[in-house]
Amino acid sequence: MPAGPDRRNPNLSTRQLRAFLALAEQRSFTRAATACHLSQPAFSALIRTLETELGTRLFDRDTRSVQLTPEGRLFEPSARQLIGDVGAALSDLGDHVEGRKGRVHVAALPSLAAGWLPAIFAEFMKSSPGIALNLSDLLSDPCIALVRSGKADFALASTGAGHAGLSFELLCTDRFYLVCRKDHPLAGEKTLTLKKLVPYPFIHMSRNSSVRQALDAALHPLQTQTLLEVDQLATVTGMVEAGLGISIVPALTLFHFERKNLVTRPLAIASLTRRIYVVRRAQESLSVAAQALHDLIVLRMRG
Amino acid sequence: MPAGPDRRNPNLSTRQLRAFLALAEQRSFTRAATACHLSQPAFSALIRTLETELGTRLFDRDTRSVQLTPEGRLFEPSARQLIGDVGAALSDLGDHVEGRKGRVHVAALPSLAAGWLPAIFAEFMKSSPGIALNLSDLLSDPCIALVRSGKADFALASTGAGHAGLSFELLCTDRFYLVCRKDHPLAGEKTLTLKKLVPYPFIHMSRNSSVRQALDAALHPLQTQTLLEVDQLATVTGMVEAGLGISIVPALTLFHFERKNLVTRPLAIASLTRRIYVVRRAQESLSVAAQALHDLIVLRMRG
DNA sequence: CACACTTACGATATTCGTAAGGATT
DNA sequence: AATCCTTACGAATATCGTAAGTGTG
C-alpha cells in the first residue's frame, strides 16, 4: 500500500507555500513557475503535491482560467501569515548570527570592570552597535555563579574551587605592584623585596577579594602588618594617598593609583601573580555576539 | 560551484522544525530520531541540513551531551510557534474540508425560501452542526447578483438574461396550480383550461417576480383580468381567501394555500411551467460545505 | 490551431538505512 | 568496553526539465 500523506504530521515546506502564493497571485501556472524559478511541469507537480498533502484541491484550473477554490481562499491568509512569520524568524536569527543584534552578559571582577574593560566595551559597542552589553562587576565567586546559572555568557575572574561543567581559559597573568606615597621610604628603594615591605602598615582588600587571595597565597608564610581591610580599590587609593599605609595591587588595577602623590612600582617576584581566567560553560558555544566580544578581549589582552 | 542555501528564500520544512524541536527536548540524537521515525544517521543529516540552511550551528554536541547553542535557544520559541501555527492552519483547513466547519450562503427565491427550503435547511443543520447557514430570500435577479459578486455560494432562481461566467443547472420544473375558494365556480370544473380561467378576476404577483414572469410567458397572448398585483405570496393567499379573485401559482408555493376554504387544482397545461435553476459561478468549485448542501438540495428535489 | 495545464519519462539530486569510524567516559 | 554522534556508501525515493498529450476557446 502506498504511503499517503500523514494527515497528522504533514510535511509542509516554505517552497510549497511560496508556490501556492505565487499561483494565487499570478493565476497562471506558467507565470508562477517562472516566478519560482521552476519549469512549468515541475511547478504543477509542486502544487499537486501540496494539494494532496492538505487533502483538498486549492485551485480550480482548466486551460483558460486558474483561480482559488473556496478552500484555497481559506488557506491563503494562513499561508501568507506563515511565510511572513518564517521570514521574520529567519531574519531575526540572521541578524543575531551576523552580529547585528544580540546581547552579551559579562561578569567581571571589579578590578577589571573599572579600569581595563571600559575601553574594550567602548570599542565593541562602536563596532557592533546593535549588540546590548551587560556587565556584572562582582567578586570571583558570584561571577562564576552567574556563568554557571546561564545568566552570564562568560566571566573574567580568578578561579576559586574546582568547577565541573565550566571551562577556564587563562586570559592573563597579572603582576603585582607596590603602591605608596611619593614621600614614603619605599618610594626610593632600589630593589623591592617582600621582606622590605612587610614591616610597613598595609591597606588590604578584604579577604574574599581575588586580589587579596592571590596576594596572601604569594606572601605565605610571611605576615603583613594589616592596618585596614576595605572592599573597594578606590578606598585603598584614598587611604594610601592619606599616608595611612601602603598596598600591593595587580597591574590591571593601577589606573586607580595614577595620582600625583602616589608611586607605583613593580614587584619583581615571580610567585606574586594573579591569574585571570575566562570562565564559561563547557560544551556550550558562545553566542556570536559573545564570541565576538570574547575574541576582542583576548586580542586586546594578548595582542 | 555547489548551490548553497538561498539565504533569502531558504527552504524550511515542518519536518526540519519538528526534528529540531524533538532534539531540543530529547537532547539526544538517538531518542529524537526514534521520535521522528527516522534512523539516527538520517536524523543527524536532517539537523545538519537545517543548520546549513539557517547558516548557524543550533546544537553543541559531542558524544556525551547535546544541547542548544545560544542561537538554537533563540530559534526554539520561533520554531515552536511556527509548528503550532502550521498545525492550527492545517487543522482549520481540515475542519472545513471534512465538513466540521464552514459557512454556506444561499440565495433563493422567496417562493422557495418559505415553503420548501426550511425542511432541507433543518436536515442539513442537524447533520452538519458546525456549518453556519445564510439565506437571502430575494427575487431572481438580486439572487443571481449575489452569486456573481461572490457573496452567495449559489442561488436557487429562475434564469433572467444570459449570464456569462455563471452556470445554470436545472433543478426542477415547477408546475402551476389554480388557487381559488371552495365556493368558486372553477372549484368544481372537471377540466381546467386557460380559456375557462381568463374571465375571472386575478390576484397576481408583481411583474418582476419569477412566478409572474413564467405565468405571463405561458399565458401569452391571452390576457387576464388583473384585479390586483401584490409582492408577497401570503398576500395572494389572503386576497383569494377573501373571495376577491383567483390566482395561478407554482407547485412549490402551494404550502401557502393549504387552507380550509381554498382549493388548489393542477393545471395540465404543458407550457405552463417555471424552471428553477441552481446558479453558481462557472469554473469555480463549491466549498465542501456548499457542495454538501447543494447535493442535499438536489437529492431531496429529484430523489 | 493556439494556448495552457497535465502526463510521460529519463536524468539528476536528495534522502534513507546499514555498517563502519571516532571520540569520550 | 560501552555509548553516542559522524561518516561512508549503495539503494530507494523525490524532483527536475524536456517532450508529448489533452482539452478548451
Side-chain angles (χ1 to χ4, degrees):
Chain A
M1 122 186 187
D6 188 341
R7 198 61 55 83
R8 288 296 173 86
N9 279 24
N11 183 22
L12 203 54
S13 71
T14 55
R15 286 180 68 245
Q16 289 173 310
L17 292 182
R18 267 187 282 267
F20 168 76
L21 292 175
L23 185 52
E25 284 166 19
Q26 301 283 352
R27 307 166 75 87
S28 152
F29 278 70
T30 305
R31 289 196 300 273
T34 303
C36 292
H37 309 291
L38 277 174
S39 73
Q40 190 274 325
F43 183 87
S44 193
L46 195 55
I47 295 293
R48 187 174 353 106
T49 303
L50 176 62
E51 288 179 328
T52 302
E53 274 166 358
L54 296 185
T56 186
R57 187 74 73 86
L58 295 171
F59 294 92
D60 285 314
R61 63 260 207 188
D62 55 33
T63 55
R64 216 28 113 184
S65 92
V66 175
Q67 60 181 326
L68 288 164
T69 61
E71 286 71 33
R73 273 198 297 278
L74 177 71
F75 187 60
E76 185 182 4
S78 301
R80 210 171 288 284
Q81 179 79 39
L82 285 170
I83 282 292
D85 290 349
V86 168
L90 263 48
S91 159
D92 188 54
L93 182 60
D95 283 346
H96 282 78
V97 169
E98 285 158 33
R100 288 186 297 271
K101 278 188 188 174
R103 170 174 298 278
V104 189
H105 187 152
V106 181
L109 295 172
S111 50
L112 304 173
W116 184 69
L117 271 184
I120 291 182
F121 269 42
E123 180 179 356
F124 186 77
M125 287 192 279
K126 194 172 174 186
S127 67
S128 302
I131 296 181
L133 292 178
N134 205 317
L135 175 62
S136 292
D137 48 335
L138 301 168
L139 298 181
S140 200
D141 283 344
C143 277
I144 291 174
L146 280 182
V147 173
R148 174 178 304 272
S149 71
K151 294 194 184 75
D153 293 288
F154 60 86
L156 306 177
S158 301
T159 177
H163 295 283
L166 297 181
S167 86
F168 293 77
E169 173 199 13
L170 184 61
L171 179 64
C172 66
T173 303
D174 206 5
R175 308 198 62 177
F176 279 78
Y177 281 65
L178 165 69
V179 178
C180 63
R181 288 231 312 216
K182 277 186 175 161
D183 57 5
H184 193 278
L186 289 172
E189 271 303 323
K190 233 186 317 190
T191 61
L192 293 171
T193 64
L194 284 181
K195 276 187 187 147
K196 287 183 183 166
L197 306 185
V198 173
Y200 295 98
F202 263 71
I203 313 295
H204 272 308
M205 293 292 285
S206 65
R207 292 177 193 276
N208 56 3
S209 77
S210 63
V211 171
R212 174 66 178 281
Q213 283 167 9
L215 184 58
D216 279 355
L219 289 177
H220 191 272
L222 273 61
Q223 293 278 354
T224 59
Q225 184 182 336
T226 302
L227 180 69
L228 209 57
E229 289 187 1
V230 303
D231 289 311
Q232 312 280 340
L233 274 167
T235 308
V236 176
T237 309
M239 293 295 169
V240 174
E241 200 165 23
L244 294 182
I246 65 173
S247 192
I248 296 181
V249 300
L252 289 176
T253 70
L254 285 182
F255 96 104
H256 281 283
F257 304 96
E258 287 162 359
R259 305 186 133 253
K260 196 171 59 205
N261 297 326
L262 296 183
V263 169
T264 62
R265 299 196 51 192
L267 297 173
I269 299 157
S271 65
L272 194 50
T273 59
R274 176 178 72 151
R275 292 176 202 281
I276 305 291
Y277 295 89
V278 178
V279 184
R280 38 182 292 199
R281 292 179 288 282
Q283 297 165 340
E284 177 176 329
S285 58
L286 295 177
S287 72
V288 173
Q291 185 68 50
L293 179 55
H294 169 274
D295 291 349
L296 180 64
I297 286 172
V298 170
L299 180 69
R300 287 289 169 264
M301 170 53 68
R302 297 216 253 262
Chain B
M1 118 188 194
D6 187 342
R7 200 59 56 85
R8 288 296 173 88
N9 278 24
N11 183 21
L12 203 54
S13 71
T14 54
R15 286 180 67 246
Q16 289 173 310
L17 292 183
R18 267 188 281 267
F20 169 76
L21 292 175
L23 186 52
E25 284 166 18
Q26 301 284 351
R27 308 166 80 86
S28 153
F29 277 70
T30 304
R31 288 194 301 273
T34 302
C36 292
H37 308 291
L38 276 174
S39 72
Q40 191 274 328
F43 183 87
S44 192
L46 194 56
I47 294 293
R48 188 174 351 108
T49 303
L50 176 61
E51 288 179 329
T52 302
E53 274 165 1
L54 295 185
T56 185
R57 186 76 74 85
L58 295 171
F59 294 92
D60 286 314
R61 62 262 205 186
D62 55 32
T63 55
R64 218 41 172 178
S65 90
V66 175
Q67 60 181 326
L68 288 165
T69 61
E71 286 71 33
R73 272 197 298 277
L74 177 72
F75 187 60
E76 184 181 5
S78 300
R80 210 170 287 283
Q81 178 81 38
L82 286 170
I83 282 293
D85 290 349
V86 168
L90 264 48
S91 159
D92 187 55
L93 182 62
D95 282 347
H96 282 78
V97 168
E98 285 158 33
R100 288 186 297 270
K101 278 188 188 175
R103 170 174 299 276
V104 189
H105 187 153
V106 181
L109 295 172
S111 51
L112 303 173
W116 184 72
L117 271 185
I120 291 182
F121 269 44
E123 180 179 356
F124 185 77
M125 287 191 279
K126 193 172 173 187
S127 67
S128 302
I131 297 181
L133 292 177
N134 205 316
L135 175 61
S136 292
D137 48 336
L138 301 168
L139 299 181
S140 202
D141 282 345
C143 277
I144 292 173
L146 280 181
V147 173
R148 176 179 303 280
S149 71
K151 294 194 186 74
D153 293 289
F154 60 85
L156 306 177
S158 302
T159 177
H163 295 283
L166 297 181
S167 86
F168 293 77
E169 173 199 11
L170 183 62
L171 179 64
C172 66
T173 303
D174 207 4
R175 309 199 61 178
F176 279 78
Y177 281 66
L178 165 69
V179 179
C180 64
R181 289 232 307 216
K182 276 185 176 164
D183 56 5
H184 194 277
L186 288 173
E189 275 297 326
K190 236 188 313 194
T191 61
L192 293 171
T193 64
L194 284 181
K195 275 188 190 146
K196 287 184 185 166
L197 306 187
V198 172
Y200 296 99
F202 263 71
I203 312 295
H204 273 308
M205 293 293 286
S206 66
R207 289 175 195 277
N208 57 4
S209 77
S210 65
V211 171
R212 175 66 178 281
Q213 282 168 9
L215 185 57
D216 280 355
L219 290 176
H220 191 271
L222 273 62
Q223 293 279 353
T224 60
Q225 185 183 333
T226 302
L227 180 71
L228 208 55
E229 290 187 357
V230 303
D231 289 311
Q232 312 280 340
L233 273 167
T235 309
V236 176
T237 308
M239 293 294 169
V240 174
E241 199 164 24
L244 294 181
I246 65 172
S247 192
I248 297 181
V249 300
L252 288 176
T253 70
L254 285 182
F255 97 103
H256 282 284
F257 303 96
E258 287 163 357
R259 304 185 135 251
K260 198 171 57 200
N261 297 325
L262 296 183
V263 170
T264 61
R265 299 198 49 194
L267 297 174
I269 300 158
S271 65
L272 194 51
T273 60
R274 176 179 72 149
R275 292 177 202 280
I276 305 292
Y277 295 89
V278 178
V279 185
R280 38 182 292 200
R281 292 180 289 284
Q283 297 166 341
E284 177 176 329
S285 58
L286 295 177
S287 71
V288 173
Q291 185 70 49
L293 179 55
H294 169 275
D295 292 349
L296 180 63
I297 286 172
V298 170
L299 180 69
R300 287 287 169 264
M301 170 52 68
R302 297 215 254 261

